[in-house]
Amino acid sequence: MTYDADIMADRRRLRRKLSFWRVLAVFALIAVVVALGARFGAGSVVTGDQIAAIRIGGFISGDQRTLDLIRRVKDARSVRAVLVRVDSPGGTTSGAEAIYTALRELAAEKPTVALVDGLAASGGYITALAAERIVSRDTSLVGSIGVLIQYPNLAGLLDTLGVKVEEVKSSPLKAAPNGFEPTSPEARAALESVVRDSFAWFKGLVGQRRSLSGPALDQVSDGRVFTGRQAKELGLVDELGGQRQAVAWLEKEKKLASDLPVREWKAESERLGLSFWSLLGRAAAFAGYDDLAGALRAAALREEAGRLDGLLAVWHPSLQNN
């Protein structure tokens, strides 16, 4: 019995030592990755004439990393033209505006063409509008020109639970709607005014950039999405195709050399592949600390979600049952 107990104690000590060295090794690897990222931070290849490819995908928030990427591409002497790959359902209206403004500044200095890889809806389409030309695949989804505000109404649930939220505020429209009580007619009118004004800006941008007006503009601005083929007929995109067609336009219309390579440029965090919290989460999971890994991954998600605020210019299929 004593012999077995000694063996078990030795195994526990060995297991603790192995866990310690595994954690130490993973953190050393993270340090090396971060150091290499800093050392070669300019990251994307910037030597030799090239067409820079930028990807705008997922939820658009106008984050600083993407804006910095666009600025780096604009300042790079080796970049002769830019291919903006769009695959996004949209995001915040202000975030899409920030990306649009940055891309327009880029397009003022370097020929820029947008390629709709799969989806350019709402804020994603605002991004595509910044380019001089829009190329879309036949079956890509384009459009969803509109703005919305969504918020939950928990008043019925709170009544059922017997919970009442008290508040003191400077005016009836402060922090309205709040989700804890039915939206008043005055609050709803105020929100509708904000939505209408933002929509007018979006619709005007489409009309200006795509030379649409009157019934033609109204037809594409009712919030629906279109296939690439439909969008081409409606004037929302210029050409159907992929990267080859986009590059061919640059070569023909902007007199670019036909042998320029297309090179991907990525934001700082994309070059490292993971955020700081995600890296720590993977290290913890590798070391066997599953609870800690889950907490760190949740922190990474909260960090991303904390950047989102304001009106949405985003498309998603309705989940309501009629």
Side-chain angles (χ1 to χ4, degrees):
M1 293 293 293
T2 303
Y3 178 73
D4 290 341
D6 289 342
I7 291 177
M8 292 179 64
D10 287 341
R11 286 180 176 176
R12 283 195 294 268
R13 282 194 294 270
L14 180 59
R15 192 178 298 114
R16 285 196 295 268
K17 288 182 180 179
L18 287 175
S19 296
F20 170 77
W21 287 110
R22 279 196 298 177
V23 171
L24 187 62
V26 170
F27 277 99
L29 179 61
I30 292 174
V32 170
V33 171
V34 172
L36 288 175
R39 172 64 180 84
F40 301 103
S44 309
V45 178
V46 295
T47 57
D49 289 351
Q50 61 185 273
I51 299 172
I54 300 174
R55 181 180 181 275
I56 306 295
F59 193 96
I60 295 175
S61 62
D63 61 288
Q64 192 59 48
R65 289 172 298 186
T66 302
L67 296 175
D68 288 343
L69 169 63
I70 296 171
R71 176 186 51 78
R72 287 194 297 111
V73 170
K74 179 170 70 73
D75 294 341
R77 295 182 179 179
S78 61
V79 173
R80 299 304 179 191
V82 181
L83 173 66
V84 182
R85 304 183 192 275
V86 182
D87 189 8
S88 170
T92 64
T93 308
S94 60
E97 180 187 359
I99 298 297
Y100 170 84
T101 301
L103 287 174
R104 287 303 301 148
E105 293 175 355
L106 170 61
E109 297 192 17
K110 298 179 179 180
T112 304
V113 59
L115 171 60
V116 183
D117 264 336
L119 177 64
S122 292
Y125 186 61
I126 292 175
T127 297
L129 285 173
E132 298 174 72
R133 187 173 182 83
I134 303 177
V135 178
S136 171
R137 302 190 188 279
D138 288 40
T139 56
S140 293
L141 295 179
V142 180
S144 187
I145 298 167
V147 178
L148 79 157
I149 294 178
Q150 290 181 322
Y151 54 91
N153 186 342
L154 305 176
L157 175 62
L158 295 178
D159 286 342
T160 301
L161 298 175
V163 177
K164 184 177 181 180
V165 178
E166 300 286 351
E167 63 182 6
V168 177
K169 53 186 180 180
S170 58
S171 65
L173 294 181
K174 177 64 178 176
N178 58 25
F180 299 131
E181 60 186 9
T183 304
S184 68
E186 294 79 12
R188 183 174 296 277
L191 290 176
E192 289 175 350
S193 174
V194 171
V195 169
R196 284 196 301 271
D197 186 66
S198 296
F199 175 59
W201 171 83
F202 191 174
K203 186 176 179 180
L205 190 66
V206 175
Q208 173 192 347
R209 297 293 300 159
R210 302 304 304 172
S211 299
L212 295 173
S213 61
L217 180 58
D218 293 337
Q219 182 180 3
V220 301
S221 302
D222 62 359
R224 78 180 90 173
V225 293
F226 306 94
T227 66
R229 295 196 303 171
Q230 292 173 323
K232 171 68 167 58
E233 292 295 324
L234 294 168
L236 293 178
V237 304
D238 298 293
E239 182 180 1
L240 297 176
Q243 177 174 307
R244 183 170 60 85
Q245 286 73 21
V247 172
W249 179 81
L250 289 170
E251 292 171 352
K252 179 180 179 181
E253 300 298 329
K254 301 300 179 180
K255 310 304 179 185
L256 261 65
S258 59
D259 58 348
L260 288 183
V262 177
R263 289 175 174 161
E264 295 285 341
W265 284 62
K266 296 184 178 182
E268 295 290 340
S269 62
E270 291 181 281
R271 290 207 300 275
L272 295 178
L274 294 168
S275 71
F276 174 74
W277 294 112
S278 296
L279 284 170
L280 292 182
R282 292 204 173 187
F286 180 80
Y289 300 109
D290 294 335
D291 291 341
L292 177 59
L296 290 169
R297 284 193 292 266
L301 292 174
R302 286 195 298 271
E303 179 186 33
E304 182 65 24
R307 301 190 191 97
L308 309 181
D309 195 9
L311 285 172
L312 297 180
V314 62
W315 172 82
H316 56 82
S318 174
L319 299 180
Q320 294 179 343
N321 294 321
N322 294 325

